[in-house]
């Protein structure tokens, strides 16, 4: 029976060592993990029950045994069965550790891809320069034209020119332009005509400037947070693979598709674990369990970040949709504004689906 179990575990080991299923949903991996742990425990329990039944039969036989020879034979057999029970439990413990470790490795691989995708996402969002262009009237040709018209007809005696620094400041520029317009020799009709050309631009930039800056700086905050998440998962992988003697970085492992090598190092470690005894064996077991606990901590960290990011983008959507004159000024609004709204909708969808949190609660953590 023990030989059969060993052969079975060997076949399972070979299958797991050379197949790394393509899956991008960590929740699927978690379900597989729980199922495989339960299946391994059930198989072990069945074999243990058989051994316990044999022990019970031996105990009954000992009660009625008469000769010393009979008792010795029964005790030897009982000792043999007890050793087989120990081996079964040890094999099952190793199998559970292996399942947890390899499934954990798959989860790390999946989450790293998601973190890299997030990194790419944040790198492609609007830059501060692009936000400034949207929120600064000086960046709009219509407003530049107004300034030229006003400059040509302003009162040369009372007017003044702004410095290069103040000239780029939207509020100072607006005050100077309107002050010059009031004192210029432009007719009422000319003033109304020119203002009509820029009213939507001025309304949009004045109302939305602070909101657009808020979106930029809070996105920058999320980007920095994601950089930390990326650093943390790379550190997690380093700690995760340290016990089994794998030294390459997560980035290197991903770039060279070296996952099978990690699995083979795990096999070597498990073989050493099975042949170890006493304190050395216990220490090796603990070293294997600790990284999995670290992974569970990282999953919580990742989930919190994704939840936070999703809420931020929902907030951005509300901010952009709050511009009350959007309908009246639709034709005058910058394309970047419309693109930003579209990008935020895409981001919300990604945070809800592509980057969605790993569904792990207290009950599941206990099962793992």
């Amino acid at each position: 029976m023990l030989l059969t179990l060993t052969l079975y575990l060997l076949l399972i080991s070979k299958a797991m060592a050379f197949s790394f299923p393509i899956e991008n949903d960590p929740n699927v991996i978690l379900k597989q993990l729980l199922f495989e742990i339960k299946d391994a425990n059930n198989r072990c329990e069945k074999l243990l029950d058989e051994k316990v039944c044999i022990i019970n039969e031996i105990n009954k036989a000992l009660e009625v045994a008469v000769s010393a020879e009979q008792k010795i034979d029964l005790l030897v057999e009982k000792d043999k069965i007890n050793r087989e029970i120990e081996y079964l439990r040890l094999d099952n413990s190793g199998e559970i550790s292996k399942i947890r470790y390899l499934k954990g490795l798959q989860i790390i691989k999946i989450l790293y891809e998601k973190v890299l995708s997030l990194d790419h996402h944040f790198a492609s969002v609007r830059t501060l320069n692009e936000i400034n262009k949207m929120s600064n009237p000086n960046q709009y040709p219509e407003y530049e034209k107004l300034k030229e018209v006003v400059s040509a007809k302003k009162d040369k005696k009372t007017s003044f020119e702004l410095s290069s620094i103040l000239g780029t400041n939207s509020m100072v520029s607006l005050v100077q332009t309107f002050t010059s317009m009031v004192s210029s020799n432009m007719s009422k009709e000319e003033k109304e005509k020119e203002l009509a050309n820029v009213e939507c631009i001025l309304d949009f930039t004045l109302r939305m400037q602070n909101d657009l800056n808020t979106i930029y700086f809070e996105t920058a905050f999320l980007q920095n947070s994601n950089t930390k998440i990326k650093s943390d998962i790379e550190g997690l992988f380093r700690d995760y693979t340290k016990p089994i003697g794998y030294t390459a970085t997560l980035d290197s492992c991903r770039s060279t598709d070296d996952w099978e090598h990690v699995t083979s190092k795990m096999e070597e470690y498990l073989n050493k674990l099975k042949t170890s005894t006493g304190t050395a064996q216990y220490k090796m077991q603990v070293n294997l369990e600790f990284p999995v606990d670290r992974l569970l901590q990282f999953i919580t960290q990742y989930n919190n970040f994704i939840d936070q990011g999703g809420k931020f983008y929902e907030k951005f959507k509300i901010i952009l949709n709050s511009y009350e004159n959007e309908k009246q000024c639709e034709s005058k609004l910058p394309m970047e504004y419309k693109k930003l709204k579209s990008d935020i909708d895409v981001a919300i969808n990604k945070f809800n689906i592509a980057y969605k949190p790993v569904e792990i609660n207290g009950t599941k953590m206990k099962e793992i």
Side-chain angles (χ1 to χ4, degrees), residues 57-298:
E57 291 299 320
I58 292 174
N59 288 335
K60 290 178 182 178
L62 280 169
E63 290 177 1
V64 296
V66 178
S67 68
E69 185 178 354
Q70 284 180 314
K71 291 180 179 180
I72 290 172
D73 288 342
L74 287 169
L75 288 172
V76 169
E77 181 65 18
K78 183 177 180 180
D79 185 60
K80 175 189 171 186
I81 300 301
N82 280 327
R83 285 199 305 272
E84 289 178 359
I85 288 174
E86 288 181 17
Y87 291 143
L88 278 174
R89 286 175 174 159
L90 179 61
D91 282 344
N92 186 63
S93 177
E95 184 66 11
I96 296 299
S97 294
K98 179 179 178 179
I99 292 169
R100 294 178 81 221
Y101 191 90
L102 291 179
K103 291 300 180 184
L105 192 63
Q106 283 182 263
I107 291 173
I108 290 175
K109 180 182 180 183
I110 292 169
L111 291 183
Y112 190 54
E113 292 300 326
K114 291 181 183 294
V115 170
L116 291 179
S117 179
L118 276 164
D119 205 41
H120 176 73
H121 162 75
F122 287 121
S124 66
V125 298
R126 295 286 174 265
T127 64
L128 181 58
N129 185 48
E130 289 174 305
I131 293 292
N132 282 336
K133 284 183 179 180
M134 264 192 283
S135 59
N136 191 336
N138 289 307
Q139 300 294 328
Y140 292 80
E142 295 90 340
Y143 182 67
E144 285 298 309
K145 181 185 175 184
L146 171 64
K147 290 199 296 183
E148 289 173 6
V149 171
V150 171
S151 179
K153 297 194 175 186
K154 66 184 178 181
D155 187 338
K156 306 295 182 182
K157 294 181 180 180
T158 59
S159 63
F160 59 93
E161 297 295 333
L162 294 176
S163 66
S164 58
I165 294 177
L166 290 178
T168 60
N169 185 294
S170 58
M171 293 305 298
V172 174
S173 175
L174 281 169
V175 170
Q176 195 251 10
T177 299
F178 276 83
T179 301
S180 298
M181 180 185 284
V182 170
S183 61
S184 71
N185 57 11
M186 293 174 67
S187 66
K188 179 183 176 183
E189 290 75 17
E190 285 179 308
K191 291 176 182 177
E192 290 176 349
K193 178 184 175 183
E194 294 300 332
L195 283 175
N197 289 333
V198 296
E199 62 177 351
C200 280
I201 292 169
L202 297 181
D203 183 69
F204 172 76
T205 53
L206 289 172
R207 288 178 186 271
M208 299 299 292
Q209 187 176 60
N210 288 337
D211 288 336
L212 289 170
N213 283 337
T214 295
I215 290 174
Y216 169 76
F217 288 115
E218 292 191 355
T219 302
F221 167 77
L222 287 175
Q223 186 172 17
N224 288 339
S225 298
N226 188 67
T227 300
K228 184 180 184 305
I229 290 281
K230 181 172 176 284
S231 174
D232 287 347
I233 194 173
E234 289 171 344
L236 168 64
F237 180 80
R238 183 178 60 251
D239 294 341
Y240 200 88
T241 54
K242 184 178 179 180
I244 64 173
Y246 185 80
T247 56
T249 64
L250 178 54
D251 180 60
S252 173
C253 180
R254 174 184 179 271
S255 300
T256 59
D257 196 20
D258 199 32
W259 301 102
E260 285 189 5
H261 186 200
V262 182
T263 308
S264 67
K265 296 292 284 186
M266 170 64 179
E267 294 292 340
E268 293 173 12
Y269 189 87
L270 278 178
N271 289 334
K272 290 180 183 177
L273 177 63
K274 287 181 180 179
T275 57
S276 300
T277 57
T279 305
Q281 186 184 66
Y282 175 76
K283 187 176 180 180
M284 289 183 72
Q285 187 76 38
V286 170
N287 287 342
L288 203 60
E289 295 294 332
F290 178 71
V292 179
D293 293 336
R294 280 282 316 279
L295 170 60
L296 294 176
Q297 293 171 14
F298 176 80

Side-chain angles (χ1 to χ4, degrees), residues 9-53:
L9 291 177
L10 181 62
L11 289 172
I12 290 292
S13 298
K14 294 296 182 183
M16 292 180 72
F18 295 101
S19 62
F20 216 86
I22 298 174
E23 179 58 63
N24 58 10
D25 186 353
N27 293 305
V28 172
I29 304 300
L30 273 177
K31 289 178 182 177
Q32 293 173 354
L33 167 62
L34 295 173
F35 174 80
E36 290 181 22
I37 288 177
K38 184 177 180 180
D39 184 58
N41 283 331
N42 287 341
R43 282 188 278 106
C44 182
E45 284 298 322
K46 184 178 179 181
L47 293 171
L48 287 174
D49 287 344
E50 292 175 2
K51 299 297 180 184
V52 169
C53 287

